[in-house]
Amino acid sequence: MIFEEVSLHMQHDVEWLLSLKPEDNRRWQLAKVDLLEMIHTVYQRGEIYDEQGRPASFQWMVTRICRNLHVSIPRNPRSMVSAGRQRKGIRQRCLKERYEWMMTQRRVEQPATEWVS
């Protein structure tokens, strides 16, 4: 699967997470760093807009999604993303690789739906 296709599916998942409401009582099941890594990957595409029609900032996306999923909002989300992307060892692959694996090997169209309860 090509990177662009994975990124597009990830964007759809982030859009879904942005559309949730705190009252939906959904909870993120993976590590917070995974959530932030996904948000940042989509943020870098520059194709998400806020309520005013402006390109969404990374902080706006983090705040909104964390509130929707009842996750504490980190003080410095960019440093968490950086740490997540520098994971060492074979035991933990980056989120993009795991996302692609779920789509190709498990045939999951929207992996984030499996990571939210």
Side-chain angles (χ1 to χ4, degrees):
M1 182 171 278
I2 60 172
F3 174 74
E4 183 61 31
E5 189 176 346
V6 172
S7 293
L8 185 58
H9 279 272
M10 199 177 285
Q11 178 175 326
H12 292 305
D13 278 350
V14 168
E15 289 170 345
W16 174 68
L17 294 173
L18 285 166
S19 74
L20 295 174
K21 304 278 185 261
E23 307 84 62
D24 296 336
N25 280 327
R26 300 291 195 122
R27 306 260 188 239
W28 183 251
Q29 299 299 311
L30 300 181
K32 187 188 309 186
V33 69
D34 293 326
L35 177 61
L36 296 175
E37 191 177 342
M38 181 168 66
I39 295 168
H40 194 264
T41 298
V42 171
Y43 161 74
Q44 288 182 312
R45 289 176 55 90
E47 297 177 13
I48 301 283
Y49 298 91
D50 65 15
E51 296 96 350
Q52 307 302 316
R54 299 173 299 214
S57 71
F58 177 58
Q59 186 63 50
W60 178 84
M61 293 170 67
V62 167
T63 301
R64 183 163 174 159
I65 291 173
C66 285
R67 283 187 181 143
N68 291 347
L69 297 175
H70 305 280
V71 172
S72 62
I73 301 167
R75 271 188 245 141
N76 190 347
R78 287 182 191 274
S79 68
M80 288 185 75
V81 170
S82 179
R85 290 188 173 157
Q86 294 176 15
R87 291 179 182 130
K88 303 244 191 245
I90 301 170
R91 294 179 103 39
Q92 183 73 350
R93 296 183 293 172
C94 74
L95 183 70
K96 284 185 238 173
E97 290 174 0
R98 290 182 284 147
Y99 200 94
E100 181 179 6
W101 180 85
M102 286 188 71
M103 291 179 65
T104 57
Q105 302 300 313
R106 292 197 44 222
R107 306 273 190 250
V108 176
E109 279 289 317
Q110 208 176 350
T113 60
E114 294 203 0
W115 301 333
V116 174
S117 65

